[in-house]
Amino acid sequence: MHNRQLNHITWLMVLIFIFNYLAASCLHYFLSYTPQAYQINTSSFKHLVDDLLAHAPIYAITITTYFLIFGLFISLLILSELLIHHQLSWQNFLRSVKRPKLYGFVLALTIMLLPLNELGLKIPVANYMTIPQTFMAMIANPFILTGLSLLYILILFFVLRLKHIPYYLIIDGIKQESLIKKSWQATQKSAWYHVRQLGFIFVKIAFAFALLYGIQFLIDLANHRNWSVFTANLFTSLLAGVLYFYTATILYLFLSNPDQERQVQTRQIYVHIRAVLFLVIIGFSTIFLSGKQLKVAHQNYLVIAHMGISSKSDIPNTIENLKKVHATHPDYVEIDIQKTKDGQYVLSHDPAITNQEDKSYQISDYTWNQLKDITFLHENQKTTLSNFKDYLMLANELKQKLLVEVKFSQTVSNQELKAFSEDFGQLLAENKAQLQSLNQNSLLRIDQFLDNDLGLLSPIQNDVNQSKLSQFYAIESSSLTQKTITQATSVNKSIYAWTVNSHKEIQTTYAIGVTGFITDYPAKTRQYLANISDRPHYTLVPTGTLLLKRSDF
């Protein structure tokens, strides 16, 4: 990389960081005025609609802010393109802003580059289009992952064939010509070269992570936790800067001149020094401002068996597996329950089951007597629904505490909540069970009927507050940061992370101070937690903190 290109990429990196930080700050400001989820009345459809209408202005402002952020991202790209090619003027800027095709191309490009953001890059706007973790789990199969990766490389090839469209729209001012055809012709000889460039970028990122992994491994061997935490923070900051630098490098590919992009230029050492300096400053700023810096953690922890299983080979949410999972000695067994048409509750993660003849049964539309004999398949294993009361009674016999995710409907009434409490309150109290739900307002209302600990379940990071409602927060692990844990500690709340299975996930969530580990492998997780609580294990923490994580900036 030569000095002119490096200089442009360096300043683009700075602009991207400033943009991401200001956009995140703006969104957080407006979101702070939206009501907390537990305050939104979900006792009936009318109450829900009334609540949403009452807060319609702030919701409208928040949605408008997302559109403005996208528009400002377009402006950032236009300014960068004009500056790179020494054509910055108010007239040129206004001319480019009025090009609808540019907005369409950038939106399509943002969506196409979304998987790269999931790998840790910092492409603006794509930060708010995260790929659900449930989908990521579905493609974890090596064959599926390999096939999708090859397909994505092919997609990137076609995207790179169209890379000069921004140049033609902004610099050349082309409106009528076929931009796709013109860019396709211009990249006829260079497309695979740029695909290889992308490949080299990810090789360099992998090398940086591997190098610092090795150094951290050696430091951990010294068995000095303070030093391990310090170097883990240092390496995480440096790697965050690397990710910002290569984000700018990738975006620069779409801003370059088709006629001059591969010209050879002389190297100047001060340009490289400045690039490294800004990389370091941005990396440390990112980690500090986003609350990812680690603290020395020595905490007690809970191991929670996810969906009542002891391994992935078990059938989830079945009474037949309760004794088996109890034998692994989890602190809690987590289960999901759904309401039947006649007011009973059964164990099921999904609201519907499908029998062997491929007929679907919506649980809320059928009685327990109609459902109890239906055989359905879970990954080629036959099973039937389990009754919640039977499961709870057996758990009490075994003295096994439960973490119950109550999948209340979005408009569950106070009468339904009272009936649930009357049916199960005594058994739940005897069990010392904890209850959690995505319908947070239902927990606010059921609290008047039950004495059990209640927790707010969320797939994204929540602001932790002093509300007496929630004794714990159960949050999807890829959304958690040290900042969330610090907030929880300050108000005496616990954080449970789900679903934590790999060594990387366990290391990272333990390092930031998580209390509860909801896992598919309770015995293995407890053993590994015992190991890392005895000796420092921070080698995978930088990777776990930066890659496959939701991040605003």
Side-chain angles (χ1 to χ4, degrees):
M1 187 179 295
H2 298 281
N3 75 298
R4 182 173 180 272
Q5 183 183 10
L6 180 59
N7 186 52
H8 291 156
I9 290 172
T10 300
W11 288 112
L12 184 57
M13 171 180 65
V14 173
L15 288 174
I16 291 170
F17 169 71
I18 294 173
F19 177 88
N20 282 348
Y21 176 68
L22 293 178
S25 299
C26 184
L27 272 175
H28 289 166
Y29 173 78
F30 287 114
L31 287 172
S32 68
Y33 286 94
T34 58
Q36 294 286 335
Y38 67 84
Q39 296 173 324
I40 301 173
N41 192 337
T42 59
S43 59
S44 70
F45 182 74
K46 182 181 183 303
H47 284 134
L48 176 60
V49 171
D50 288 344
D51 239 348
L52 294 177
L53 289 176
H55 297 96
I58 188 61
Y59 291 134
I61 291 172
T62 304
I63 293 170
T64 302
T65 302
Y66 279 104
F67 284 105
L68 287 174
I69 287 172
F70 178 67
L72 290 172
F73 178 42
I74 301 289
S75 299
L76 170 68
L77 294 178
I78 292 172
L79 287 172
S80 299
E81 185 80 271
L82 293 173
L83 282 168
I84 287 170
H85 300 290
H86 307 290
Q87 294 195 31
L88 181 61
S89 70
W90 184 244
Q91 183 180 5
N92 288 341
F93 176 78
L94 288 179
R95 182 192 65 185
S96 302
V97 165
K98 297 175 183 177
R99 296 286 165 80
K101 290 181 180 180
L102 183 61
Y103 291 80
F105 177 82
V106 174
L107 178 60
L109 178 64
T110 302
I111 295 171
M112 290 299 101
L113 296 181
L114 178 58
L116 301 186
N117 247 38
E118 292 294 314
L119 295 176
L121 296 185
K122 307 293 183 179
I123 298 164
V125 179
N127 296 334
Y128 309 114
M129 304 180 189
T130 55
I131 298 175
Q133 287 297 307
T134 51
F135 176 78
M136 298 300 293
M138 287 168 57
I139 64 172
N141 181 289
F143 295 104
I144 297 176
L145 197 57
T146 301
L148 289 175
S149 298
L150 292 174
L151 176 62
Y152 186 63
I153 291 171
L154 185 62
I155 291 172
L156 281 180
F157 171 78
F158 285 104
V159 170
L160 289 168
R161 292 297 302 267
L162 307 178
K163 65 186 287 292
H164 294 312
I165 287 178
Y167 179 86
Y168 295 139
L169 285 169
I170 298 170
I171 302 300
D172 287 353
I174 297 173
K175 292 192 295 183
Q176 303 301 329
E177 286 186 46
S178 173
L179 297 170
I180 293 176
K181 181 179 179 181
K182 189 172 176 63
S183 181
W184 194 270
Q185 291 173 343
T187 56
Q188 189 171 2
K189 296 181 180 179
S190 62
W192 283 114
Y193 166 77
H194 291 304
V195 170
R196 289 196 300 272
Q197 273 190 309
L198 282 179
F200 287 138
I201 284 172
F202 285 98
V203 167
K204 291 173 184 176
I205 292 173
F207 175 78
F209 273 88
L211 176 64
L212 297 184
Y213 171 96
I215 298 172
Q216 183 69 53
F217 177 79
L218 295 175
I219 292 169
D220 286 348
L221 290 178
N223 197 22
H224 194 292
R225 195 172 295 273
N226 287 350
W227 274 108
S228 289
V229 171
F230 173 78
T231 53
N233 280 322
L234 174 64
F235 295 161
T236 302
S237 300
L238 292 175
L239 291 170
V242 168
L243 290 171
Y244 257 107
F245 178 82
Y246 284 116
T247 297
T249 304
I250 290 171
L251 286 180
Y252 182 75
L253 286 175
F254 296 89
L255 301 175
S256 56
N257 186 326
D259 299 320
Q260 299 176 350
E261 60 184 13
R262 295 180 65 179
Q263 284 187 356
V264 176
Q265 301 174 48
T266 58
R267 297 178 184 272
Q268 294 181 351
I269 188 65
Y270 78 89
V271 177
H272 290 75
I273 293 174
R274 182 173 59 196
V276 172
L277 180 63
F278 277 123
L279 182 152
V280 171
I281 292 172
I282 287 173
F284 276 86
S285 299
T286 300
I287 298 307
F288 176 76
L289 293 171
S290 62
K292 288 187 174 71
Q293 69 275 19
L294 305 176
K295 298 177 182 177
V296 179
H298 295 283
Q299 78 275 1
N300 296 322
Y301 51 81
L302 301 172
V303 175
I304 302 167
H306 183 228
M307 294 197 294
I309 61 175
S310 57
S311 71
K312 277 285 194 180
S313 61
D314 291 346
I315 302 175
N317 286 311
T318 55
I319 195 169
E320 289 78 13
N321 280 326
L322 179 54
K323 289 185 178 180
K324 181 179 179 182
V325 71
H326 172 68
T328 65
H329 307 294
D331 297 291
Y332 287 88
V333 170
E334 187 260 354
I335 56 172
D336 310 275
I337 62 172
Q338 308 267 359
K339 185 186 173 188
T340 65
K341 185 178 181 179
D342 57 342
Q344 297 204 49
Y345 285 81
V346 296
L347 273 66
S348 177
H349 180 273
D350 299 321
I353 58 172
T354 303
N355 69 5
Q356 292 175 277
E357 287 74 41
D358 208 30
K359 180 181 177 181
S360 179
Y361 294 83
Q362 192 75 17
I363 291 172
S364 59
D365 293 340
Y366 293 86
T367 66
W368 166 239
N369 282 333
Q370 292 173 310
L371 292 167
K372 64 182 181 180
D373 295 324
I374 296 173
T375 300
F376 62 99
L377 293 177
H378 175 79
E379 295 184 357
N380 298 320
Q381 298 183 74
K382 293 182 181 180
T383 187
T384 56
L385 288 172
S386 297
N387 185 281
F388 174 50
K389 182 168 281 189
D390 294 340
Y391 194 98
L392 182 53
M393 291 174 66
L394 178 56
N396 288 351
E397 288 179 23
L398 298 171
K399 299 188 184 307
Q400 174 61 64
K401 293 181 182 178
L402 301 180
L403 171 60
V404 183
E405 181 181 342
V406 191
K407 293 184 176 288
F408 290 126
S409 69
Q410 290 305 306
T411 53
V412 60
S413 68
N414 289 337
Q415 185 178 354
E416 290 176 281
L417 296 176
K418 185 177 180 181
F420 176 87
S421 305
E422 289 173 349
D423 288 343
F424 304 107
Q426 185 175 346
L427 289 171
L428 288 169
E430 180 186 339
N431 184 267
K432 295 183 174 60
Q434 295 186 334
L435 275 68
Q436 61 180 3
S437 180
L438 279 169
N439 186 338
Q440 297 179 2
N441 180 256
S442 66
L443 295 180
L444 178 66
R445 289 179 286 126
I446 204 173
D447 187 41
Q448 62 186 306
F449 305 121
L450 294 175
D451 292 327
N452 298 76
D453 288 347
L454 305 176
L456 303 185
L457 178 67
S458 176
I460 59 174
Q461 184 164 302
N462 260 313
D463 287 330
V464 179
N465 55 50
Q466 297 182 2
S467 167
K468 294 181 180 179
L469 166 67
S470 52
Q471 282 73 45
F472 64 93
Y473 291 76
I475 300 177
E476 204 275 322
S477 61
S478 69
S479 296
L480 283 170
T481 67
Q482 178 70 66
K483 186 176 181 180
T484 309
I485 307 301
T486 303
Q487 287 178 344
T489 303
S490 68
V491 292
N492 297 315
K493 303 291 178 70
S494 297
I495 298 291
Y496 298 172
W498 52 274
T499 305
V500 180
N501 289 330
S502 69
H503 284 183
K504 181 182 74 174
E505 292 166 333
I506 299 171
Q507 271 192 33
T508 305
T509 48
Y510 179 84
I512 63 177
V514 161
T515 303
F517 298 79
I518 302 177
T519 175
D520 294 326
Y521 303 97
K524 292 180 180 179
T525 298
R526 186 178 295 282
Q527 180 59 53
Y528 192 65
L529 281 167
N531 293 339
I532 66 178
S533 61
D534 286 342
R535 294 182 61 88
H537 285 68
Y538 288 86
T539 51
L540 296 171
V541 170
T543 306
T545 301
L546 296 172
L547 304 186
L548 298 174
K549 302 286 281 188
R550 293 188 180 98
S551 177
D552 289 341
F553 60 91

